[in-house]
Amino acid sequence: MPKLPETITIPSAVDIHVHLREPSTNKAETIESGSKAALLGGFALICDMSNNPGRPTWTLRRTMDKHNRIWRTSYIPVATYAGSQPESNNERELPKMAPLSIGLKSYLGETTGNSREYAAADFKDIWQLWDLLAPEKPIMIHRGSADLDEIISFTAGELGHRTHICHTNHPDEVEIVHRAKREGLPVTIGVCPHHIFKTSHDVLTEGEFAKMQPPLAHQTDTEKLMHLLAEGYIDIVESDHAPHTKAKKWGAEHTSGSCYGVPGIEFVIPLLLRAEKKGRISRERIVNATSTMPAYIVGLSLSPYTKVTWAMEEFRIEDEQEQVISGSGWTPYLGMLAVGKVQRATVKDKELICDGLIVGEKPQIVTRRGTII
Ligand SMILES: [Zn+2]
């Protein structure tokens, strides 16, 4: 009789940084396909960003449209962020959006949906307003080239507002956040799987398929980032699951345009579990960085019944048609080894996966701090 793989049961993961891209002009993903990829990747909650191409979440109407779609099609609970940019002129919408949103996302750097770089000073009015409207709901920072010290000293320092620095690609940023934490400021920092499992060298061979903002780091920095995550100086892992179709990436490759972002949420935990197998990070840190801490940052907590049983078999990510669940149909992690297939997943009292197959859905909208998932 073949030997069954060892299984482990750990708390479900929470991803506070995904782009489901619906509704938008980008047709790579839907709430249905993205949330399915998240469920089969061991997640119980995902938080959707606001920069939907062509349809940014800048108004109450768009927030409600997104929520209606989540109710209809999501496999797992989803929370959404409100967006506000200096050019969006939506200060009248923010009071209506704040109660329905889990936090505010600010794009200071160039990326999908934002074509310019801003300074911290450009956002101060928006952050001040958000602090009045939702003092408990975090401000999520896509930094770009803005001064990180200046951002943190205003949001976390002057306002005392919980601030999360998204997707670091450099150890110096981690050092700045560490200094601020030592001063008692409410600030955290996250890293993406592509910034620890891929390097800037990949851009030479993969072109646009390895382009994202912030860009992939040099190998010496990716190793340092992995170490800083393993030691707890980086608080969380966030996927920044940002799907584009292959055709879109190809188009950018041949027109010298830009098409930032990579998908991959279904492989985040298996890549980390293999890193654990190789002695690069402890299981305790994986659980803390993918579940406990991200939930804490957005003010939620996990029920002890929200958990995932993983069959700890090693596999190679080699067949996009077979293994990729995201509607984008491709993965930047092709060729990598990973560990773990979800056998069972429950969210509170509801079983969503049994024997590796989806048997239920839980399309909940999460808006309130203190919600137990
Ligand atoms: Zn993002």
Side-chain angles (χ1 to χ4, degrees):
M1 215 168 109
K3 200 169 152 252
L4 290 172
E6 174 207 352
T7 60
I8 62 164
T9 299
I10 55 177
S12 305
V14 168
D15 193 344
I16 64 172
H17 189 159
V18 305
H19 301 264
L20 296 176
R21 307 270 200 227
E22 186 189 352
S24 80
T25 53
N26 177 317
K27 302 299 175 204
E29 191 81 278
T30 60
I31 288 165
E32 183 177 11
S33 60
S35 65
K36 186 178 182 186
L39 170 60
L40 287 163
F43 290 85
L45 173 84
I46 48 179
C47 303
D48 185 46
M49 287 297 173
S50 52
N51 63 330
N52 292 42
R55 300 281 295 277
T57 321
W58 288 350
T59 63
L60 174 67
R61 183 187 277 260
R62 286 191 186 157
T63 306
M64 291 178 70
D65 178 22
K66 214 181 233 191
H67 286 193
N68 284 334
R69 292 163 189 261
I70 291 166
W71 273 124
R72 288 203 308 272
T73 60
S74 182
Y75 280 85
I76 57 172
V78 181
T80 62
Y81 292 99
S84 185
Q85 296 287 111
E87 76 277 14
S88 62
N89 295 317
N90 65 340
E91 42 303 291
R92 289 207 182 151
E93 293 290 323
L94 276 183
K96 295 178 264 180
M97 295 165 74
L100 300 176
S101 309
I102 205 71
L104 174 78
K105 180 68 186 281
S106 297
Y107 290 95
L108 281 75
E110 184 196 351
T111 188
T112 304
N114 176 45
S115 56
R116 56 170 285 196
E117 296 282 323
Y118 288 97
D122 299 324
F123 272 83
K124 285 185 178 175
D125 288 347
I126 293 170
W127 293 333
Q128 213 148 15
L129 176 60
W130 185 258
D131 186 53
L132 285 171
L133 296 170
E136 304 281 306
K137 293 185 172 182
I139 296 171
M140 313 289 287
I141 301 288
H142 178 117
R143 176 200 162 201
S145 55
D147 187 312
L148 188 55
D149 271 312
E150 195 187 344
I151 296 168
I152 294 172
S153 69
F154 185 75
T155 56
E158 270 184 57
L159 299 177
H161 200 106
R162 166 137 313 275
T163 303
H164 177 72
I165 309 303
C166 297
H167 47 46
T168 184
N169 71 342
H170 203 282
D172 287 354
E173 291 184 325
V174 185
E175 172 64 29
I176 291 170
V177 169
H178 182 60
R179 267 204 320 265
K181 282 179 188 163
R182 287 222 311 245
E183 288 167 22
L185 301 188
V187 59
T188 49
I189 188 162
V191 72
C192 300
H194 45 259
H195 287 129
I196 50 178
F197 293 117
K198 292 179 75 75
T199 73
S200 53
H201 186 78
D202 295 329
V203 182
L204 296 176
T205 52
E206 298 169 27
E208 282 296 324
F209 288 86
K211 291 242 182 95
M212 67 284 296
Q213 287 289 11
L216 292 174
H218 192 272
Q219 188 169 354
T220 49
D221 289 330
T222 64
E223 281 166 17
K224 279 185 200 157
L225 290 172
M226 184 71 196
H227 178 72
L228 291 166
L229 172 67
E231 293 295 314
Y233 292 97
I234 293 175
D235 301 275
I236 67 159
V237 174
E238 55 197 66
S239 75
D240 196 5
H241 177 78
H244 295 281
T245 58
K246 278 185 187 174
K248 203 94 191 285
K249 285 286 196 185
W250 271 119
E253 181 68 28
H254 294 112
T255 58
S256 73
S258 53
C259 180
Y260 298 123
V262 290
I265 194 168
E266 57 273 74
F267 301 116
V268 176
I269 307 296
L271 288 168
L272 287 168
L273 289 174
R274 182 163 188 280
E276 180 205 347
K277 188 180 171 188
K278 290 287 159 193
R280 301 180 75 198
I281 186 168
S282 69
R283 188 171 306 166
E284 188 189 3
R285 269 304 294 148
I286 293 175
V287 170
N288 190 271
T290 63
S291 183
T292 323
M293 262 317 271
Y296 169 78
I297 290 168
V298 289
L300 309 173
S301 49
L302 251 62
S303 151
Y305 301 107
T306 298
K307 53 194 180 182
V308 175
T309 299
W310 292 89
M312 296 293 276
E313 57 191 274
E314 191 158 25
F315 65 98
R316 189 160 184 268
I317 304 169
E318 58 189 353
D319 184 340
E320 288 178 331
Q321 235 169 348
E322 189 67 29
Q323 294 168 304
V324 171
I325 298 142
S326 159
S328 63
W330 67 281
T331 173
Y333 306 116
L334 199 64
M336 293 189 190
L337 298 181
V339 171
K341 295 250 167 81
V342 174
Q343 282 306 293
R344 185 161 190 259
T346 48
V347 174
K348 283 171 100 174
D349 52 352
K350 186 150 190 196
E351 189 170 46
L352 302 190
I353 295 180
C354 180
D355 293 334
L357 299 172
I358 294 176
V359 294
E361 295 121 48
K362 193 174 172 66
Q364 184 186 349
I365 312 277
V366 181
T367 57
R368 272 204 199 115
R369 288 181 68 82
T371 304
I372 299 171
I373 303 298

